Amino acid sequence: MRHLTLLGGLVLGLAVAGGAQPMTAAPATTPLSAIAALRDPAGQVIGTATFRQMGQGVQVSVEARGLPPGGHGMHVHEYGRCTPGVDPATNTVVPFGGAGGHFDPGMSRNHDDPQAPNKYGHGGDLPMLNVGADGVGRATFTSDKVSLTGMNGVLNRSLVIHANPDDYKSDPSGMSGARLRCGIISRNGLTTRDYPLPGAQDFPEGVAYDARKGVIYTGSAVNGTIYAVDAASGAVSKFQEGGALGRRAALGLKVDPQGRLWIAGGAQGTVSILSPDGVTLKVLQTPDSPNPYINDLTLAPDGNVYVTDSTRPVIFRVDPDLTLTRWLDLGDTPVKYGPGINLNGIAATPDGRYLLAIQLNTGELWRIDLRSKAVQRVMGGLERGDGLLLDGRTLYVSRNAMQVVSKVSLSADYGSGQVVAEEPLRGLRFPATLAAVGGDLVVTQSQLDKLQGGTPETPFRLTRFRKF
């Protein structure tokens, strides 16, 4: 069986929702746990399932009542919705159809047995529930096909019990029949606040916070629309329509001391600057060359803005007079560009001495000296590291496909670091970037993996939680 390696010790982070009081952090040794209240189609709770992270696997305990005797297929389904919905196989509305199909993190598109590696069968294919003559079914097992964190994470998905036995081979669900029970897998001991977005194709990538306005900005990776979200009320308004002056994408975002919003333009190779009221002040075009990908930017204490390109080995700089130059050629540094997304998130240290940048395709964190331009490797092991948020010597890293935010403790000179905690929240969906809102963090749940196939969970959302 395939195993998912958990990176570092898990710490249950804190979060706030509205005026909720902060909770006390659980110690690092406390394993993640979750529960699903199993409901019948009428909404009555007549069973429970508990989930507990046990090393590389999850221990699952199920008790369900009021079921016909015999074997019943049991699966984790894609969405955290125990609502009626359309069954694609019959094109009819069925109970719990809103849970979607089987959770399939390996993109196998194949129903198989509970021992099959996820690249061959659905990750959500679990052992059957056997029900006695009294209508009660109980099962306890450990599976490493699913996890409460990482790429196989099942938080905020659904556990569904079916009417018939599972033959463990027939697509899409082993001939297991109607959906009789459903429960949403909810993390224990955590409160978060979501900011839903209105668009059906938002795919939010960047996020930034303007403390003077109390506004969170986020932008669509697929159409460039910028939203302004009231951090207190959650009200969302369109700050600038996608396509403004040709902007087709919005990736990394930052707000400068003048209240201007800076936008990394992705494959267009641009940096856009918007006024505090949403008017485009300037669009800076990077030099013509094949395959640009302007991904993120940071405001440094020296007044300059530094910009990463994920496909061309260069860091650009925008001076206070809004002149863009090629600041550092990475070809002669230890940073080696390869296929895929290279340098991505970037942050400036508060002392104005260094830049920190994460290389997504290698998981390496780099330190760049702003005086000498010397480049040093800080650490590895941050696979799929995307956005960065630096808080003193604490670095938060959103790791998209890993579906966690990692907390890194950095040395005094920012030259070395260690992962000290991981936070999956209530089930992150391809987290891209982070912003600080007072003592909280806000992360984008971009779901950019769904651009490669699959249906995104809507509404798209930002999620706010306490720094951990």
Side-chain angles (χ1 to χ4, degrees), residues 412-430:
D413 66 352
Y414 304 97
S416 62
Q418 180 180 10
V419 174
V420 294
E422 310 259 87
E423 178 53 81
L425 299 182
R426 289 190 176 276
L428 288 168
R429 303 294 188 255
F430 214 79

Side-chain angles (χ1 to χ4, degrees), residues 291-307:
N291 198 28
Y293 203 79
I294 298 299
N295 206 329
D296 202 7
L297 36 82
T298 189
L299 309 169
D302 62 8
N304 296 310
V305 174
Y306 294 87
V307 183

Side-chain angles (χ1 to χ4, degrees), residues 123-159:
D125 296 340
L126 301 181
M128 274 192 286
L129 181 69
N130 291 306
V131 176
D134 60 357
V136 178
R138 294 184 179 91
T140 297
F141 57 89
T142 299
S143 173
D144 64 359
K145 287 173 67 64
V146 296
S147 176
L148 296 183
T149 185
M151 291 182 284
N152 298 336
V154 297
L155 288 173
N156 201 30
R157 303 190 192 279
S158 299
L159 181 70

Side-chain angles (χ1 to χ4, degrees), residues 197-437:
L197 301 176
Q201 292 290 312
D202 283 331
F203 293 95
E205 208 277 353
V207 65
Y209 180 58
D210 187 333
R212 289 165 299 186
K213 290 175 152 184
V215 166
I216 302 166
Y217 294 107
T218 191
S220 169
V222 299
N223 60 37
T225 295
I226 305 294
Y227 292 109
V229 182
D230 186 295
S233 70
V236 181
S237 59
K238 195 171 286 186
F239 189 66
Q240 192 182 75
E241 188 75 49
L245 290 185
R247 190 186 66 248
R248 297 188 298 271
L251 302 184
L253 305 179
K254 293 293 185 295
V255 176
D256 69 15
Q258 291 77 45
R260 299 175 298 182
L261 182 66
W262 293 68
I263 307 169
Q268 289 183 269
T270 59
V271 175
S272 299
I273 304 110
L274 309 188
S275 73
D277 56 359
V279 175
T280 301
L281 298 174
K282 196 162 188 178
V283 178
L284 305 172
Q285 182 71 53
T286 57
D288 288 340
S289 64
N291 198 28
Y293 203 79
I294 298 299
N295 206 329
D296 202 7
L297 36 82
T298 189
L299 309 169
D302 62 8
N304 296 310
V305 174
Y306 294 87
V307 183
T308 57
D309 190 309
S310 295
T311 53
R312 298 177 295 181
V314 62
I315 292 177
F316 295 99
R317 186 176 74 181
V318 182
D319 299 330
D321 64 0
L322 303 187
T323 299
L324 184 146
T325 57
R326 188 183 181 102
W327 179 71
L328 176 60
D329 187 335
L330 295 166
D332 297 324
T333 74
V335 180
K336 302 305 177 187
Y337 269 41
I341 300 296
N342 290 272
L343 287 193
N344 193 334
I346 187 169
T349 60
D351 60 5
R353 180 68 189 273
Y354 303 109
L355 300 174
L356 297 173
I358 188 74
Q359 190 168 358
L360 185 141
N361 56 358
T362 67
E364 293 175 303
L365 180 68
W366 300 95
R367 189 191 75 178
I368 304 165
D369 193 309
L370 282 169
R371 300 174 189 171
S372 67
K373 299 186 180 181
V375 178
Q376 174 183 320
R377 184 180 182 272
V378 177
M379 62 181 294
L382 294 169
E383 289 85 356
R384 305 298 297 180
D386 196 331
L388 301 181
L389 182 96
L390 184 60
D391 182 12
R393 294 208 307 271
T394 296
L395 183 70
Y396 294 98
V397 185
S398 54
R399 297 172 57 197
N400 54 37
M402 304 305 294
Q403 303 192 120
V404 295
V405 174
S406 293
K407 180 181 181 179
V408 175
S409 179
L410 296 166
S411 62
D413 66 352
Y414 304 97
S416 62
Q418 180 180 10
V419 174
V420 294
E422 310 259 87
E423 178 53 81
L425 299 182
R426 289 190 176 276
L428 288 168
R429 303 294 188 255
F430 214 79
T433 57
L434 296 151
V437 180

